[in-house]
Amino acid sequence: MAFQLRRLALALGFVIVIGIALVALLAPWITPQDPFLQNLDARMAPPSFMDGGTAAHFLGTDQLGRDYFSRLIYGARISMLIGVLVVVCSGLIGTTLGVVGGFFGGRIDAVVMFIITCRLSIPLILVALTVVAFVGSSLTVVVLTLGLLLWERFAVVARTTTMQVRNLDYIAAAWAAGCSRPYILLREVLPNIVHHLIVVATLEMALAILLEAALSFLGLGVPPPLPSWGLMIAEAKDYMYFSPWVILVPGIALFVLVLGINLLGDGLRDRLGATRDA
Amino acid sequence: MTAAIEVRDATRVFRQSTGVFSGDRLIRAVDGVSFSVESGGCLGIVGESGCGKSTLARLILGLLPTTSGEVLVEGQRLADMDRKARARLIQPVFQDPFSSLNPRRRIRDIVAMPLQAQGITGRAQADRVEEMLVRVGLPGAIGDRVPAQLSGGQRQRVAIARALVLRPRIVVCDEPTSALDVSVQAQILNLLDELRRDLGLTYVFISHNLAVVEHISDRVAVMYLGRMVEQAGTDALFAAPKHPYTQALLASVLTPEPGLGVPDVGLGDLYPDPANVPPGCRFHPRCKLAQARCALEAPVPREVAGHRVECLLV
């Protein structure tokens, strides 16, 4: 029963993430309308399934009369793009640091630990504020800021798992076989910690997407008129008492995506950890 | 003739941190061990857990540097060799085949790894892997599997294939049978014995199982708290042990007759602590023959009737 529930959760997460990724990729072909096209005559139109809704706008329009459904679809692009790019960037930094520290130990490990501690003492939102104040906000700035800051969990997990693997006999056998250090790191250590890193990657991806939304909400994220879900929530907050769907729609989308990513990560950890180990 | 392995006064000290305010403890895991193994021979090393057997194995393999002393393989200092030359000479077989094989690689790749490291690839590599798998008694089709799909005995055969694929001169076996089922132990032991004769290998065979060591070795060394207390030919050692510790060790072997219970070997419950080695003879707190001078005077190894013994009373 519990097993089937887990499989169901993994399948659900998989469907959500793949579905939203497909929607993001195919955005230009599946949006019914131009997400940037303003029509002040048709502002704040309710969704088609509510009273007063029209078939032209499935999820209604926003305060500038832009088609809300099209903006939501393009927003998926921004969220997925930020999620993936931030995870790739922070994953590379964190895994490299963690594996090197855990594998070599001693003084190198002490340096890695110091860098991790330094990173942990930096408040993320404050850094983002400062960066935006200096260079202005753009998609690149958001990706770089988050990518260069969100690596600490990768580093911690990569370091501890590497330390566990480092002392196993197959690593000793690889040393005795005359393998080089890079070979041992890449072929013997990394494949045996990667399932832990995949879980971290999903957590970080969800976190990055939420942080982008938070930054956009504060006006520090992607600049308008790009349709980020966080920005949509920020713009909707003035109207939520009169037309609650404008804040509900991007909010629910964000919730579903983050839930999907987390379900996928949890499920993958169980599967990857269990199938190949004895 | 140069010995296949010669170990001269090898010592390995580990530093163990005990906390922020107290100093580090020094653990002398291997303390001034000397021995040599002639080419084609098999030296069995026995001793209880924590006596430094496995540390000694790692010193001989070059996986750990010695704190002092040196290890010579075929007359060359191990510390001066590069990793590829060392790998061609000496290879390990570890105790637990469940942790000595990378769970995420196929059997073929695991056995091929030493060849890969030497730059032998392609057809030549595949042929030698295939040949080696057949040689250790595994079906060739097993190459596509991963370790989780194999039994313990099969895994240990894979580990042996990996150790022998470079055709090394020396194999260090660190308890190669103790993680296996009894029924499989004999098969693996016979395979190792057969391979030694056919390929002219030299073995250093570490075990706490006296029967196994008696079966495979032609010479046996007994370790206690980081030192070798007695070395002799297998028959001589098992027939007439000289050192009180060896005598106790041999007496501790369980008899097959039921009802006799566990033999009382007179070693007491004191467990030796390698961080706090007793003064004088390090065995004296547990020795039933100990005299006053054993606590004061450290014994040096002496030749007694073909045995190399480290005891004041022999």
Side-chain angles (χ1 to χ4, degrees), chain B:
Chain B
M1 194 180 110
T2 49
I5 300 180
E6 193 176 350
V7 176
R8 288 188 192 147
D9 211 18
T11 300
R12 174 69 200 193
V13 182
F14 291 104
R15 195 176 281 276
Q16 187 184 49
S17 162
T18 49
V20 182
F21 298 109
S22 47
D24 291 351
R25 295 202 318 164
L26 293 181
I27 296 172
R28 308 183 75 84
V30 173
D31 194 2
V33 165
S34 301
F35 64 89
S36 66
V37 189
E38 63 188 62
S39 195
C42 177
L43 174 73
I45 298 178
V46 293
E48 61 199 331
S49 308
C51 71
K53 299 185 304 257
S54 289
T55 305
L56 183 62
R58 271 154 210 269
L59 294 181
I60 301 170
L61 285 163
L63 295 175
L64 275 178
T66 50
T67 307
S68 67
E70 58 186 13
V71 179
L72 292 110
V73 178
E74 306 258 309
Q76 303 170 64
R77 274 166 49 93
L78 193 67
D80 297 339
M81 265 185 240
D82 76 348
R83 56 184 162 82
K84 287 186 192 172
R86 188 192 67 211
R88 284 192 299 269
L89 269 181
I90 187 162
Q91 282 289 319
V93 175
F94 291 110
Q95 171 178 9
D96 182 5
F98 289 82
S99 80
S100 72
L101 305 181
N102 185 338
R104 304 217 167 242
R105 301 191 78 175
R106 290 180 310 158
I107 300 305
R108 196 186 303 289
D109 299 329
I110 290 173
V111 178
M113 182 183 67
L115 296 168
Q116 193 82 36
Q118 299 285 342
I120 300 168
T121 52
R123 193 72 243 159
Q125 185 192 70
D127 287 347
R128 280 175 74 170
V129 169
E130 203 68 32
E131 182 198 328
M132 208 58 236
L133 285 176
V134 173
R135 189 70 193 75
V136 297
L138 288 170
I142 216 162
D144 291 321
R145 307 222 193 132
V146 292
Q149 295 169 308
L150 271 56
S151 70
Q154 285 176 319
R155 288 175 182 223
Q156 198 60 298
R157 285 175 195 268
V158 172
I160 293 169
R162 173 179 60 192
L164 296 182
V165 76
L166 280 180
R167 302 188 189 118
R169 310 274 302 119
I170 301 152
V171 178
V172 177
C173 306
D174 188 0
E175 310 229 17
T177 59
S178 54
L180 303 174
D181 291 342
V182 179
S183 57
V184 182
Q185 283 188 11
Q187 293 172 18
I188 295 294
L189 215 55
N190 288 336
L191 174 68
L192 283 170
D193 211 19
E194 188 187 305
L195 288 167
R196 175 163 77 107
R197 272 185 277 108
D198 293 356
L199 304 174
L201 300 168
T202 306
Y203 281 174
V204 174
F205 195 99
I206 292 169
S207 183
H208 57 247
N209 188 332
L210 292 167
V212 166
V213 167
E214 186 176 8
H215 178 74
I216 200 162
S217 315
D218 40 42
R219 211 176 150 73
V220 178
V222 180
M223 276 189 86
Y224 185 79
L225 262 187
R227 281 193 76 84
M228 281 195 173
V229 293
E230 182 166 1
Q231 285 180 54
T234 305
D235 296 338
L237 188 112
F238 280 92
K242 301 283 184 223
H243 196 283
Y245 179 63
T246 314
Q247 289 165 1
L249 210 56
L250 294 186
S252 72
V253 175
L254 296 175
T255 54
E257 284 138 274
L260 287 179
V262 180
D264 177 26
V265 295
L267 279 179
D269 301 327
L270 272 172
Y271 195 75
D273 177 10
N276 188 16
V277 172
C281 171
R282 57 191 66 203
F283 182 57
H284 85 264
R286 299 172 80 190
C287 182
K288 54 184 176 185
L289 305 175
Q291 297 171 1
R293 67 183 180 120
C294 293
L296 304 169
E297 211 178 312
V300 287
R302 287 181 299 142
E303 292 284 336
V304 179
H307 295 234
R308 190 178 154 88
V309 193
E310 198 172 85
C311 178
L312 294 168
L313 308 173
V314 179

